[in-house]
Structure formats: C-alpha cells, structure tokens
Amino acid sequence: MQGKIALEEHFTLPETRNEMSRFSLPGTGEDLKRRLTDLHDIRLGEMDKFGIELAIQSFNAPGVQAVPNVDNAIELAQRANDTLAEEVAKRPDRFAGFAALPLQDPDAACIELTRCIKELGFKGALVNGFTSKGDMETVIYYDLPEYRPFWASVQELGMPLYLHPRNPIQSRLQSYEGHPWLEHSPWAFAMETALHTLRLLGSGVFDDYPDVQLIIGHLGERIPYDLWRLDHRIKKSPQGIPAKKSMRDYMQSNVHLTTSGNFHDPTLHCAMTEIGADRIMFSVDYPFETTADAATWFDVSDISEADRLQIGRNNAVNLFKLDLT
Ligand code: GRE
Ligand code: ZN
C-alpha cells in the first residue's frame, strides 16, 4: 500500500544515543545507533521503499521521563524538540513531530506542549511512561491530581498524547528475577504501559476531559484481548471505581492503537473487533522493528481494502488533522 502514515517512529540526539546500546543484539549496536540518529538517509529510503508517505517522529524511550533532575529534564525536552523541528522542516512533506515533555514539572510540560504545537507545528506528544523525579526509584503516573491541569492543556490544544512504554523501576523487577528476557519489550513494556493506561481510564481523567485522545502502541499493549474480563471483574469490585464509564467505553472513545511492533493478523482482528478499525493506525516502531516486517505484513494482512486504507492512512489524517496534498 502506498501513502501509509506511521507514528511510533523514534530518533535520538547524538549525545543520548549511547544509552540505547543496551537494547541491541550483539553486533547490531552501531547499526541501531546510526538508524536512531539518521532521518533523511536510511529512514527516508526505507519509507520510500515500503510506501510510507509520512512518519511522525518521537524522542526515543525512556528519554526525558528518565531524567530525575527537573531542570535537566526541561532542558533536554527543549533540545530534543528543537532538533526535531529543524529536521522536520527539511522535509515537512515526509516527517512530522511529537513533543517530548518534562512531566517532572506539570506546568513546564504544559508550556512545552503549547510551544511545540503552536510554534513548532507538532502533532501532539509522545511520553515514555511514568516519570522519574528526584531519583530513579520514583514512579509518577499521570492519573495523580497534580496532572489534571496538564490533561486540561492536552484537551485544549486538541492533539493526542501517545503513551509509549518504558521498563519498570529496578525494585519492581523482582518478579522478573532470573528471567531477563521478559524485561523490556517482550513483556514488561506492555505490562507497565497497560497498567498506566488503565490507571488513567479508571481515575476518571476522561470524564473530566472527554475530548482527550490517548494513543497506545503494540496493538493495545494486551488490553483488547482482556477487555471483557476487565469490565466483568471491575463490576464486582467491592472498592468501586472513580470512573463513570466502563473501560470499553473509554477504549472506544478516548484511546487509539497502533500496529507498532505487533505484526500478526489474529491480534489485529481482535483489536478491530474490540476497539474498532476507526481507532487503529499503522506504525512500525522504527528502528527497533524493521520497516520491511511492518509493511510487508500490513500490505497483505487479512483485512478489507477499505479497512487497510483507514488503518494505513485515513485514521491518522483525521486524528492529526493532516493537510496532505
Ligand atoms: C521502543 O522504544 O519502542 C523500544 C526500545 C527498546 C526495544 C524495543 C523497543 O526502546 O520497541
Ligand atoms: Zn517504540
């Protein structure tokens, strides 16, 4: 399919790219680092080859969320966003940007989000899970009351927020001890991100700010498959729940999914059945996944041509109010 739009695509700054090498397979570290800092050479070449017209770029995980010093987090977010804006300006027909946000300070995050959308033309923000503040063992989720003004800003600015994974903090990795292959992207990323998403939905954030649109990757971080059971058991919860609606209601009115890193027909069919084809968007998760894997699967996946066009392109055009001529 030509004209696809992808939106979980990551870049990094030369000075932060060494942090990424621990995720690499032996022998691939240098290649991954090169791909993370490159935009106009390898990345654009692969977009051309596999029919991706536009890719919305974001600062790689854990990024700004893992900078415990507030001033440093604010400075890094601004630097990452300014660099991305400069790169996007070279090819605005092919690239767009998501803001990195210093959520260590909710007011500073609102200011940076406003600047990125109003001055830099970004299409929303991508946040790498919970925020570390003060030290790396602190975990701050955005359902906490001090983040309500932040959600008010997200709603007012009218652009979505992508909640991207990061690994749990060290003290919460006890249950993974001796099984390091389950940390990071195979399992821990999804558990962490699904939990954060469900905290947001259950806390009533979307009752107060019903127009906020959240995006989660990897075909929903396992939530679609368990959505029925989740609501079924919450209804029986003796503690009740602050949110007014069911998880299904919020998933179908406030949450969008992408296909990032999850290239499998049965999983896509489940997401389409539970959430809806109008809330799913194509993505790669470049450079942690290959454009070839994502596109060659999606282009022939077992869905109707109307759904392919919607998921591959039109849902993103509508959500990000894109003016593609
Ligand atoms: C990501 O940011 O999407 C990512 C990593 C590391 C491994 C896999 C992955 O940061 O998808
Ligand atoms: Zn990613």
Side-chain angles (χ1 to χ4, degrees):
M1 177 190 161
Q2 292 298 310
K4 289 190 289 295
I5 296 169
L7 48 136
E8 195 191 308
E9 320 307 327
H10 309 301
F11 79 102
T12 198
L13 301 173
E15 61 267 36
T16 52
R17 72 179 191 171
N18 282 335
E19 293 167 23
M20 299 314 300
S21 52
R22 67 177 182 276
F23 294 124
S24 310
L25 299 169
T28 62
E30 287 308 311
D31 184 52
L32 183 70
K33 280 194 243 172
R34 198 157 53 96
R35 285 170 179 271
L36 268 169
T37 38
D38 157 85
L39 243 74
H40 304 282
D41 181 14
I42 317 171
R43 189 178 308 234
L44 194 54
E46 291 195 6
M47 288 165 60
D48 289 340
K49 187 169 171 197
F50 294 102
I52 299 174
E53 180 176 336
L54 185 83
I56 308 180
Q57 303 294 326
S58 46
F59 192 48
N60 72 281
V64 176
Q65 272 57 65
V67 178
N69 177 288
V70 181
D71 292 338
N72 292 349
I74 294 171
E75 194 272 329
L76 179 61
Q78 288 170 347
R79 197 147 37 93
N81 293 331
D82 287 341
T83 303
L84 180 55
E86 280 168 29
E87 295 304 319
V88 167
K90 293 177 189 163
R91 287 308 299 268
D93 55 330
R94 305 304 298 281
F95 293 120
F98 280 139
L101 295 180
L103 280 151
Q104 290 79 354
D105 177 341
D107 290 339
C110 290
I111 292 168
E112 185 61 4
L113 181 62
T114 305
R115 180 180 87 92
C116 286
I117 290 176
K118 294 204 165 159
E119 292 172 30
L120 305 183
F122 284 6
K123 303 298 175 193
L126 182 140
V127 169
N128 293 303
F130 62 85
T131 280
S132 314
K133 184 176 173 180
D135 64 71
M136 291 304 286
E137 282 294 292
T138 310
V139 173
I140 304 174
Y141 290 109
Y142 313 130
D143 54 281
L144 297 177
E146 58 265 37
Y147 287 92
R148 292 299 163 112
F150 170 72
W151 291 111
S153 289
V154 174
Q155 171 161 286
E156 195 191 316
L157 291 163
M159 284 294 179
L161 185 125
Y162 203 126
L163 188 65
H164 185 275
R166 66 176 290 188
N167 216 36
I169 55 166
Q170 203 56 40
S171 61
R172 295 187 183 178
L173 284 171
Q174 249 173 9
S175 43
Y176 292 81
E177 208 177 327
H179 300 260
W181 48 85
L182 294 176
E183 291 182 28
H184 298 286
S185 51
W187 193 255
F189 274 18
M191 295 302 98
E192 181 60 48
T193 312
L195 176 71
H196 199 163
T197 302
L198 297 175
R199 286 182 61 125
L200 291 169
L201 304 190
S203 71
V205 166
F206 298 100
D207 297 325
D208 293 349
Y209 306 105
D211 297 332
V212 169
Q213 297 297 320
L214 197 69
I215 307 170
I216 53 176
H218 312 108
L219 282 173
E221 310 290 7
R222 323 275 152 91
I223 293 173
Y225 191 77
D226 235 39
L227 191 53
W228 183 87
R229 175 165 165 76
L230 192 57
D231 280 327
H232 170 66
R233 294 309 308 174
I234 286 173
K235 268 190 242 146
K236 298 179 196 288
S237 162
Q239 291 88 3
I241 179 167
K244 294 198 172 85
K245 300 191 222 162
S246 68
M247 296 291 184
R248 180 175 300 274
D249 288 334
Y250 298 117
M251 289 300 291
Q252 293 178 345
S253 47
N254 299 96
V255 182
H256 303 255
L257 319 179
T258 73
T259 66
S260 62
N262 209 340
F263 315 135
H264 189 52
D265 283 355
T267 321
L268 175 61
H269 294 159
C270 174
M272 289 168 73
T273 306
E274 291 293 47
I275 315 297
D278 56 343
R279 291 192 162 267
I280 304 174
M281 294 173 284
F282 173 78
S283 287
V284 177
D285 209 350
Y286 184 94
F288 302 104
E289 302 286 347
T290 70
T291 314
D293 280 352
T296 53
W297 162 73
F298 180 74
D299 288 356
V300 298
S301 61
D302 182 22
I303 56 177
S304 72
E305 291 313 309
D307 285 341
R308 200 180 322 279
L309 187 60
Q310 225 183 333
I311 294 171
R313 178 180 177 89
N314 288 348
N315 290 338
V317 170
N318 294 336
L319 183 62
F320 300 110
K321 306 174 184 97
L322 299 175
D323 182 18
L324 299 178
T325 44

